Amino acid sequence: MGSAPSTPRRGEGFSPETAEYLIGTFIGDKSFPLSSEFWQKLLELPIHVQWPSDRVQQACELLAKNNGQTRHLAKILFHMACSLQESMSSSGVPPFVYEKAVNAVYISSVFLKHLIESFQGDYVELHLSLDDNETIPMDVLGDQKIENFVMRNVLNFIALVDVSADTYVLHLELLNFMIIAMSTQLLCGPSPSPHDVNPFLDAAMAQESSLVCSVVRRLLLNFITRSGVPFSRASYSVFYEGSQSSVLQRVGSAAANIVLLPFSYLVSTRGDGSRNPLSDSSLHVLLVLIHHHKCVVSEDYSATENNKETQYFSDNPYCKALEHAVDCELDRVDVEGNAHCGQLVKLPFASLFDTLGICLADEAAVLLLYSLLQGNSAFLEYVLVRTDMDTLLMPILEALYNAPRKTANQIYMLLIILLILSQDSSFNASIHKLILTGVPWYKERLLHQTSLGSLLVIILIRTVQYNLSKLRDVYLHTTCLATLANMAPHVHRLSAYASQRLVSLFDMLSRKYNKLADRRDNKLHNEKGNLIEGNTLIEDMSTELHIYTDFLRLVLEIINAILTYALPRNPEVVYAIMHRQEVFQPFKNHPRFSELLENIYTVLDFFNSRMDAQRVGGDWSVKEVLQVIIVNCRSWRGDGMKMFTQLRFTYEQESHPEEFFIPYVWQLVLSRWGFTFNPAAINLFPIDLPTDSVENGVVGNTLQNGDFDKPEYQLDP
């Protein structure tokens, strides 16, 4: 078969021809067994040799053609897992062991990504199984599938090996590998199906609970600690040798120049100095893991005649681990008596809270906060007892203030977070006690010495107004008003501006309502001859009118709750409804509003009579009117007020949240990850395809096996 080229000793240079040959052999049509010395030579390639991206593309295409015969992808993945095992040995690990492991991870990532995104047909075939006659070194695989063996070792390394100057590169590349390996989910439809093929995700879900808990903890600690890229030449001398465009000059990945393959093939060069590669990648991996739902089929044998197949979702161990995470500072027992398999995830809730407050400008961090508040009662309780609630609320409110620059999904997540928090009465009371010296990002008005609660009311009302003019989304409206309704009975010293905005909200909705009612009435009058088309349009307008009726009633409920339960503490609200009392008059006899308006007019009559009793002559200043209101608030007893049941809205996640969250998570990952992914292969969510003519999402010529230049020497399989 010919002789093998001698491998240069470490520190000596590999010739480009040797490197070209090794990659050419890997992607060629000759199969090399797992025990061949070829694999070690391949993994010992130096990291400073590079290829242009078109050569990388050609190499990927050729491996895709030959992989079914050679099974070289499965074999490089096997050696990657073995390299990780070697990197986790208890004795001191020399740097070249990490270097070899990084090479294995990087080569695997590049070729695996191409195979996933360029598949054709209904089934993703990665040929991850080995031939029956394959001799496995030391029988390390056992009865495991390759994907299970790989994911177990990847997750073990991530969970058990600390991030240090020596291991940072490998940690980062393993997280990137996991995103690539799990990206088979992009090929699936928006609703999980029993026919979905996600071998690496399924393998991750099959790991023992202790490892799952350790992985969740490590990923969250990576997010919290936000370890920077180590720029120490001493620690990373191997990555500096012989390369001006060194790996550490490319913050996007510490393996940018590794093994002939330019990192620009996977990661764009755009950068954000405020971003943290390891923290961001850890968060993305965690979000994919906790929101995965595997649809499985079981046979229902309860049927008397024919067996009936039923579909259900298997439990997600990562989601359960996150839901049962506890504060390591308290180290509390499970007082609810819930039985948990394996260990609990113990986290520093204080550090997690502070980190979330810093990172909520990132949409992925918002989704993590939602996942914690919605699923983990211990973390929700911790958040609710914090006295510095502005740490979380201020970035949330600033993001809502800048709603035109946010995605609709991000706005939803932010509003749901506020709704979840508003379900707690102590939260609603405490936010009015926290006084803000200023709100520099609020440009329309100088907000000085405003309570956090007042700012929350202002921003929620502003969001409703934005939604009315731009998004016109009923769910968004309802969520904003539901949060305000939960807050209303606990309002304390609402600011003058917030009170004015609340009454103005009713005025704005009433004008929309009246305009819509007039249009419908005109249509009824003008469309008598065109019954079909006219009736359809009128029905649509009637439906919209009914929605606005519900909104108006909800705003009246909010005002009514403040006046019923918190009037003495809110003179500015009384002033605002007195100042604009004419806006309520047209609805006084409306059947949906009359009972609520009776209470409002009881308040108006009480304070108007007190004003008239003290009126001497001439105009009153705002300060004088407000002073009369403050004095008479003390004598207010609520006589004549009808008591209504307090509105209390709670958030419940839909029965099939995966149909929203799985596509949403991957949209976040692709938008922030920097990796390009063939848009023609994505079925998980709609995507605009590029206008250029692309066949199967890949540009380039197909190759024959002989197209790769090889030296005259060969390696024996």
Side-chain angles (χ1 to χ4, degrees):
M1 295 294 293
S3 59
S6 60
T7 303
R9 291 188 298 274
R10 184 162 301 279
E12 297 180 4
F14 268 75
S15 69
E17 292 79 12
T18 304
E20 176 98 2
Y21 162 72
L22 289 172
I23 291 293
T25 301
F26 172 67
I27 63 180
D29 58 355
K30 182 180 293 184
S31 178
F32 283 73
L34 285 172
S35 57
S36 170
E37 65 175 353
F38 160 75
W39 298 104
Q40 294 305 312
K41 294 179 182 294
L42 179 65
L43 299 186
E44 290 175 0
L45 279 171
I47 61 173
H48 61 270
V49 186
Q50 297 186 61
W51 267 356
S53 59
D54 61 329
R55 293 288 282 162
V56 178
Q57 179 67 37
Q58 292 172 356
C60 289
E61 291 175 4
L62 198 51
L63 178 74
K65 176 182 178 181
N66 295 319
N67 183 52
Q69 171 188 341
T70 64
R71 304 300 170 103
H72 277 183
L73 176 65
K75 293 171 184 177
I76 190 72
L77 288 171
F78 174 87
H79 282 283
M80 181 189 95
C82 292
S83 297
L84 292 175
Q85 287 183 336
E86 186 180 359
S87 301
M88 289 185 284
S89 63
S90 57
S91 57
V93 179
F96 74 85
V97 173
Y98 292 125
E99 179 187 350
K100 186 173 71 171
V102 171
N103 276 4
V105 175
Y106 191 74
I107 294 175
S108 301
S109 296
V110 171
F111 289 103
L112 178 61
K113 175 180 177 290
H114 176 85
L115 289 173
I116 291 173
E117 67 180 342
S118 60
F119 92 104
Q120 291 179 317
D122 298 326
Y123 183 73
V124 183
E125 182 54 79
L126 299 176
H127 300 289
L128 295 177
S129 61
L130 298 172
D131 293 332
D132 294 336
N133 58 358
E134 184 72 54
T135 302
I136 300 174
M138 298 177 290
D139 195 30
V140 296
L141 193 59
D143 59 354
Q144 298 179 86
K145 293 181 178 180
I146 287 289
E147 56 265 36
N148 289 79
F149 180 59
V150 168
M151 289 306 287
R152 181 166 62 84
N153 282 283
V154 169
L155 294 173
N156 262 318
F157 187 94
I158 291 173
L160 304 179
V161 178
D162 291 334
V163 177
S164 66
D166 289 329
T167 65
Y168 183 96
V169 174
L170 188 49
H171 270 284
L172 184 57
E173 288 308 318
L174 283 173
L175 292 169
N176 287 334
F177 170 82
M178 284 198 66
I179 291 291
I180 290 170
M182 297 186 296
S183 68
T184 51
Q185 211 166 31
L186 288 166
L187 312 182
C188 304
S191 297
S193 162
H195 305 294
D196 293 342
V197 179
N198 297 297
F200 293 98
L201 255 174
D202 292 345
M205 296 295 146
Q207 301 304 315
E208 60 270 18
S209 61
S210 59
L211 178 56
V212 168
C213 289
S214 298
V215 169
V216 170
R217 181 176 181 274
R218 171 59 62 190
L219 294 175
L220 283 168
L221 288 178
N222 287 348
F223 171 71
I224 292 169
T225 56
R226 310 187 70 74
S227 301
V229 179
F231 282 92
S232 166
R233 177 180 290 268
S235 300
Y236 273 93
S237 59
V238 65
F239 292 115
Y240 273 88
E241 295 173 1
S243 175
Q244 292 302 313
S245 57
S246 159
V247 57
L248 295 179
Q249 295 172 346
R250 304 277 294 280
V251 179
S253 167
N257 297 319
I258 212 164
V259 216
L260 314 175
L261 308 170
F263 197 69
S264 59
Y265 176 69
L266 288 180
V267 178
S268 66
T269 55
R270 71 171 186 262
D272 183 349
S274 64
R275 301 268 299 279
N276 182 288
L278 190 70
S279 174
D280 292 348
S281 296
S282 297
L283 178 54
H284 295 156
V285 169
L286 179 64
L287 291 175
V288 173
L289 288 172
I290 64 174
H291 288 289
H292 174 62
H293 285 75
K294 180 176 175 58
C295 183
V296 295
V297 175
S298 67
E299 289 188 350
D300 183 3
Y301 291 98
S302 62
T304 56
E305 296 182 2
N306 298 321
N307 292 338
K308 181 181 178 182
E309 288 188 343
T310 58
Q311 295 183 7
Y312 66 96
F313 290 104
S314 59
D315 289 337
N316 182 324
Y318 297 87
C319 180
K320 286 191 174 296
L322 185 70
E323 289 175 350
H324 295 122
V326 297
D327 189 357
C328 63
E329 298 297 326
L330 298 179
D331 197 18
R332 72 176 194 181
V333 296
D334 185 18
V335 294
E336 298 175 357
N338 295 326
H340 302 300
C341 297
Q343 64 189 48
L344 291 175
V345 177
K346 296 180 181 181
L347 296 167
F349 277 7
S351 300
L352 180 57
F353 179 94
D354 293 338
T355 303
L356 284 167
I358 295 170
C359 298
L360 284 178
D362 179 9
E363 199 169 347
V366 173
L367 182 53
L368 174 62
L369 176 59
Y370 162 82
S371 302
L372 286 164
L373 295 179
Q374 190 278 327
N376 188 308
S377 58
F379 186 74
L380 175 59
E381 290 172 12
Y382 175 83
V383 169
L384 291 172
V385 299
R386 288 280 296 228
T387 57
D388 56 342
M389 191 60 72
D390 54 319
T391 301
L392 283 186
L393 286 189
M394 288 302 283
I396 290 175
L397 297 180
E398 183 177 2
L400 288 173
Y401 177 81
N402 295 310
R405 297 199 291 271
K406 306 298 179 183
T407 66
N409 287 340
Q410 184 175 4
I411 296 173
Y412 295 149
M413 288 293 100
L414 294 167
L415 290 176
I416 291 171
I417 288 169
L418 295 177
L419 177 59
I420 292 172
L421 294 174
S422 74
Q423 293 169 191
D424 183 78
S425 57
S426 64
F427 166 83
N428 294 324
S430 64
I431 56 176
H432 291 282
K433 299 175 183 177
L434 204 160
I435 305 301
L436 307 170
T437 56
V439 186
W441 43 262
Y442 196 92
K443 305 300 182 183
E444 287 80 358
R445 190 184 184 99
L446 179 63
L447 299 179
H448 182 63
Q449 295 297 316
T450 298
S451 70
L452 184 59
S454 293
L455 180 62
L456 178 51
V457 170
I458 292 167
I459 296 299
L460 286 172
I461 293 172
R462 191 176 187 274
T463 304
V464 172
Q465 293 171 326
Y466 169 71
N467 182 51
L468 277 174
S469 61
K470 300 293 183 182
L471 299 179
R472 301 178 64 82
D473 187 294
V474 173
Y475 177 76
L476 191 150
H477 255 15
T478 305
T479 307
C480 287
L481 296 178
T483 305
L484 287 169
N486 285 345
M487 295 169 57
H490 310 279
V491 166
H492 184 85
R493 298 191 64 81
L494 195 67
S495 71
Y497 184 52
S499 302
Q500 294 164 18
R501 300 313 301 155
L502 184 58
V503 177
S504 295
L505 175 61
F506 180 84
D507 182 36
M508 180 186 64
L509 289 171
S510 67
R511 284 186 276 111
K512 294 273 189 181
Y513 173 90
N514 290 329
K515 184 178 179 181
L516 193 59
D518 290 342
R519 285 175 56 202
R520 186 197 61 173
D521 293 342
N522 290 334
K523 281 290 181 184
L524 280 171
H525 179 73
N526 297 329
E527 298 289 343
K528 290 181 179 179
N530 189 350
L531 294 179
I532 298 178
E533 184 177 344
N535 285 344
T536 302
L537 184 58
I538 291 169
E539 286 176 6
D540 292 342
M541 295 176 71
S542 296
T543 301
E544 190 173 1
L545 192 63
H546 181 74
I547 292 171
Y548 274 96
T549 304
D550 289 342
F551 289 157
L552 278 169
R553 180 175 174 85
L554 194 48
V555 174
L556 287 176
E557 296 251 26
I558 293 166
I559 296 173
N560 193 74
I562 296 174
L563 298 179
T564 303
Y565 298 102
L567 186 148
R569 306 191 301 270
N570 291 284
E572 291 289 1
V573 176
V574 176
Y575 179 90
I577 65 171
M578 290 182 67
H579 181 65
R580 299 290 306 279
Q581 55 189 287
E582 75 281 354
V583 303
F584 302 107
Q585 183 63 39
F587 300 94
K588 198 170 184 180
N589 297 318
H590 193 289
R592 291 285 307 278
F593 308 143
S594 57
E595 58 181 2
L596 293 168
L597 283 169
E598 284 180 18
N599 276 355
I600 292 177
Y601 273 97
T602 298
V603 173
L604 286 172
D605 292 343
F606 177 86
F607 284 95
N608 281 333
S609 64
R610 300 307 189 271
M611 290 287 299
D612 292 341
Q614 299 185 38
R615 191 182 300 276
V616 177
D619 294 331
W620 288 42
S621 67
V622 173
K623 187 176 182 180
E624 290 171 332
V625 173
L626 190 58
Q627 186 59 41
V628 172
I629 293 172
I630 292 172
V631 169
N632 285 281
C633 277
R634 298 168 188 160
S635 61
W636 169 258
R637 296 293 179 266
D639 296 335
M641 296 285 282
K642 291 183 178 179
M643 299 298 292
F644 297 97
T645 304
Q646 275 192 28
L647 288 180
R648 187 172 184 275
F649 293 89
T650 58
Y651 170 73
E652 291 186 5
Q653 195 166 256
E654 294 182 359
S655 57
H656 293 288
E658 66 282 346
E659 295 182 3
F660 170 79
F661 284 105
I662 293 177
Y664 180 40
V665 167
W666 277 105
Q667 286 173 319
L668 289 180
V669 170
L670 291 182
S671 66
R672 285 155 178 76
W673 191 34
F675 283 46
T676 59
F677 196 93
N678 174 18
I682 297 176
N683 296 314
L684 187 60
F685 49 82
I687 189 166
D688 294 330
L689 295 176
T691 55
D692 295 338
S693 176
V694 177
E695 183 177 352
N696 193 34
V698 177
V699 179
N701 298 320
T702 57
L703 298 180
Q704 302 299 319
N705 284 322
D707 285 352
F708 252 82
D709 295 331
K710 293 185 181 180
E712 294 181 358
Y713 48 75
Q714 296 181 354
L715 282 178
D716 290 331

